[in-house]
PDB file of all heavy atoms in Angstrom:
ATOM      1  N   ARG N  22     115.117 107.120  96.860  1.00 96.00           N
ATOM      2  CA  ARG N  22     116.421 106.410  97.000  1.00 96.00           C
ATOM      3  C   ARG N  22     116.241 105.024  97.579  1.00 96.00           C
ATOM      4  O   ARG N  22     116.913 104.083  97.162  1.00 96.00           O
ATOM      5  CB  ARG N  22     117.383 107.231  97.857  1.00 96.00           C
ATOM      6  CG  ARG N  22     118.128 108.287  97.115  1.00 96.00           C
ATOM      7  CD  ARG N  22     119.344 108.829  97.855  1.00 96.00           C
ATOM      8  NE  ARG N  22     119.183 109.029  99.314  1.00 96.00           N
ATOM      9  CZ  ARG N  22     118.660 110.130  99.885  1.00 96.00           C
ATOM     10  NH1 ARG N  22     118.248 111.079  99.146  1.00 96.00           N
ATOM     11  NH2 ARG N  22     118.591 110.219 101.197  1.00 96.00           N
ATOM     12  N   MET N  23     115.308 104.913  98.563  1.00 95.00           N
ATOM     13  CA  MET N  23     115.017 103.591  99.170  1.00 95.00           C
ATOM     14  C   MET N  23     114.523 102.605  98.102  1.00 95.00           C
ATOM     15  O   MET N  23     115.001 101.480  98.020  1.00 95.00           O
ATOM     16  CB  MET N  23     114.012 103.764 100.249  1.00 95.00           C
ATOM     17  CG  MET N  23     113.629 102.440 100.896  1.00 95.00           C
ATOM     18  SD  MET N  23     111.869 102.279 101.343  1.00 95.00           S
ATOM     19  CE  MET N  23     110.997 102.829  99.931  1.00 95.00           C
ATOM     20  N   THR N  24     113.595 103.038  97.281  1.00 92.00           N
ATOM     21  CA  THR N  24     113.044 102.176  96.248  1.00 92.00           C
ATOM     22  C   THR N  24     114.140 101.692  95.282  1.00 92.00           C
ATOM     23  O   THR N  24     114.264 100.510  94.997  1.00 92.00           O
ATOM     24  CB  THR N  24     111.912 102.907  95.476  1.00 92.00           C
ATOM     25  OG1 THR N  24     110.916 103.262  96.392  1.00 92.00           O
ATOM     26  CG2 THR N  24     111.317 101.978  94.357  1.00 92.00           C
ATOM     27  N   GLN N  25     114.998 102.602  94.881  1.00 93.00           N
ATOM     28  CA  GLN N  25     116.104 102.242  93.989  1.00 93.00           C
ATOM     29  C   GLN N  25     117.029 101.258  94.682  1.00 93.00           C
ATOM     30  O   GLN N  25     117.499 100.256  94.079  1.00 93.00           O
ATOM     31  CB  GLN N  25     116.843 103.498  93.529  1.00 93.00           C
ATOM     32  CG  GLN N  25     117.900 103.185  92.476  1.00 93.00           C
ATOM     33  CD  GLN N  25     117.294 102.687  91.175  1.00 93.00           C
ATOM     34  OE1 GLN N  25     116.248 103.114  90.757  1.00 93.00           O
ATOM     35  NE2 GLN N  25     117.972 101.788  90.500  1.00 93.00           N
ATOM     36  N   ALA N  26     117.335 101.478  95.956  1.00 93.00           N
ATOM     37  CA  ALA N  26     118.255 100.620  96.687  1.00 93.00           C
ATOM     38  C   ALA N  26     117.657  99.222  96.851  1.00 93.00           C
ATOM     39  O   ALA N  26     118.389  98.225  96.838  1.00 93.00           O
ATOM     40  CB  ALA N  26     118.589 101.226  98.011  1.00 93.00           C
ATOM     41  N   ILE N  27     116.332  99.117  97.032  1.00 89.00           N
ATOM     42  CA  ILE N  27     115.715  97.822  97.151  1.00 89.00           C
ATOM     43  C   ILE N  27     115.802  97.059  95.842  1.00 89.00           C
ATOM     44  O   ILE N  27     116.196  95.890  95.825  1.00 89.00           O
ATOM     45  CB  ILE N  27     114.234  97.989  97.595  1.00 89.00           C
ATOM     46  CG1 ILE N  27     114.151  98.368  99.070  1.00 89.00           C
ATOM     47  CG2 ILE N  27     113.438  96.686  97.340  1.00 89.00           C
ATOM     48  CD1 ILE N  27     112.767  98.756  99.525  1.00 89.00           C
ATOM     49  N   VAL N  28     115.522  97.706  94.722  1.00 85.00           N
ATOM     50  CA  VAL N  28     115.612  97.085  93.413  1.00 85.00           C
ATOM     51  C   VAL N  28     117.048  96.601  93.183  1.00 85.00           C
ATOM     52  O   VAL N  28     117.250  95.525  92.587  1.00 85.00           O
ATOM     53  CB  VAL N  28     115.129  98.028  92.331  1.00 85.00           C
ATOM     54  CG1 VAL N  28     115.473  97.523  90.933  1.00 85.00           C
ATOM     55  CG2 VAL N  28     113.634  98.322  92.460  1.00 85.00           C
ATOM     56  N   GLU N  29     118.049  97.382  93.593  1.00 89.00           N
ATOM     57  CA  GLU N  29     119.439  97.022  93.383  1.00 89.00           C
ATOM     58  C   GLU N  29     120.002  96.150  94.520  1.00 89.00           C
ATOM     59  O   GLU N  29     121.170  95.797  94.485  1.00 89.00           O
ATOM     60  CB  GLU N  29     120.245  98.271  93.278  1.00 89.00           C
ATOM     61  CG  GLU N  29     119.869  99.101  92.029  1.00 89.00           C
ATOM     62  CD  GLU N  29     120.548 100.453  91.986  1.00 89.00           C
ATOM     63  OE1 GLU N  29     121.250 100.833  92.950  1.00 89.00           O
ATOM     64  OE2 GLU N  29     120.401 101.127  90.975  1.00 89.00           O
ATOM     65  N   ASN N  30     119.181  95.787  95.509  1.00 86.00           N
ATOM     66  CA  ASN N  30     119.611  95.011  96.670  1.00 86.00           C
ATOM     67  C   ASN N  30     120.869  95.645  97.346  1.00 86.00           C
ATOM     68  O   ASN N  30     121.796  94.939  97.746  1.00 86.00           O
ATOM     69  CB  ASN N  30     119.912  93.574  96.288  1.00 86.00           C
ATOM     70  CG  ASN N  30     119.896  92.643  97.458  1.00 86.00           C
ATOM     71  OD1 ASN N  30     119.187  92.869  98.461  1.00 86.00           O
ATOM     72  ND2 ASN N  30     120.667  91.564  97.408  1.00 86.00           N
ATOM     73  N   ASP N  31     120.827  96.987  97.453  1.00 93.00           N
ATOM     74  CA  ASP N  31     121.940  97.783  97.968  1.00 93.00           C
ATOM     75  C   ASP N  31     121.785  97.961  99.495  1.00 93.00           C
ATOM     76  O   ASP N  31     121.197  98.904  99.985  1.00 93.00           O
ATOM     77  CB  ASP N  31     121.978  99.098  97.267  1.00 93.00           C
ATOM     78  CG  ASP N  31     123.128 100.009  97.694  1.00 93.00           C
ATOM     79  OD1 ASP N  31     123.802  99.685  98.694  1.00 93.00           O
ATOM     80  OD2 ASP N  31     123.317 101.045  97.030  1.00 93.00           O
ATOM     81  N   ARG N  32     122.282  96.970 100.250  1.00 93.00           N
ATOM     82  CA  ARG N  32     122.133  96.976 101.701  1.00 93.00           C
ATOM     83  C   ARG N  32     122.829  98.158 102.351  1.00 93.00           C
ATOM     84  O   ARG N  32     122.367  98.693 103.361  1.00 93.00           O
ATOM     85  CB  ARG N  32     122.690  95.667 102.280  1.00 93.00           C
ATOM     86  CG  ARG N  32     121.829  94.474 101.966  1.00 93.00           C
ATOM     87  CD  ARG N  32     122.476  93.200 102.475  1.00 93.00           C
ATOM     88  NE  ARG N  32     121.737  92.046 102.023  1.00 93.00           N
ATOM     89  CZ  ARG N  32     120.786  91.455 102.724  1.00 93.00           C
ATOM     90  NH1 ARG N  32     120.473  91.946 103.898  1.00 93.00           N
ATOM     91  NH2 ARG N  32     120.134  90.420 102.236  1.00 93.00           N
ATOM     92  N   GLU N  33     123.957  98.585 101.783  1.00 95.00           N
ATOM     93  CA  GLU N  33     124.678  99.714 102.380  1.00 95.00           C
ATOM     94  C   GLU N  33     123.851 100.995 102.350  1.00 95.00           C
ATOM     95  O   GLU N  33     123.743 101.693 103.362  1.00 95.00           O
ATOM     96  CB  GLU N  33     126.012  99.924 101.641  1.00 95.00           C
ATOM     97  CG  GLU N  33     126.865 100.993 102.227  1.00 95.00           C
ATOM     98  CD  GLU N  33     128.179 101.191 101.489  1.00 95.00           C
ATOM     99  OE1 GLU N  33     128.736 100.151 101.035  1.00 95.00           O
ATOM    100  OE2 GLU N  33     128.618 102.312 101.385  1.00 95.00           O
ATOM    101  N   THR N  34     123.244 101.276 101.214  1.00 96.00           N
ATOM    102  CA  THR N  34     122.372 102.476 101.112  1.00 96.00           C
ATOM    103  C   THR N  34     121.191 102.318 102.045  1.00 96.00           C
ATOM    104  O   THR N  34     120.790 103.245 102.738  1.00 96.00           O
ATOM    105  CB  THR N  34     121.958 102.718  99.668  1.00 96.00           C
ATOM    106  OG1 THR N  34     123.115 102.989  98.880  1.00 96.00           O
ATOM    107  CG2 THR N  34     120.972 103.859  99.533  1.00 96.00           C
TER     108      THR N  34
END
Side-chain angles (χ1 to χ4, degrees):
R22 276 196 319 276
M23 178 218 47
T24 302
Q25 187 64 36
I27 287 171
V28 169
E29 295 172 354
N30 199 30
D31 182 349
R32 290 175 187 268
E33 183 179 324
T34 297

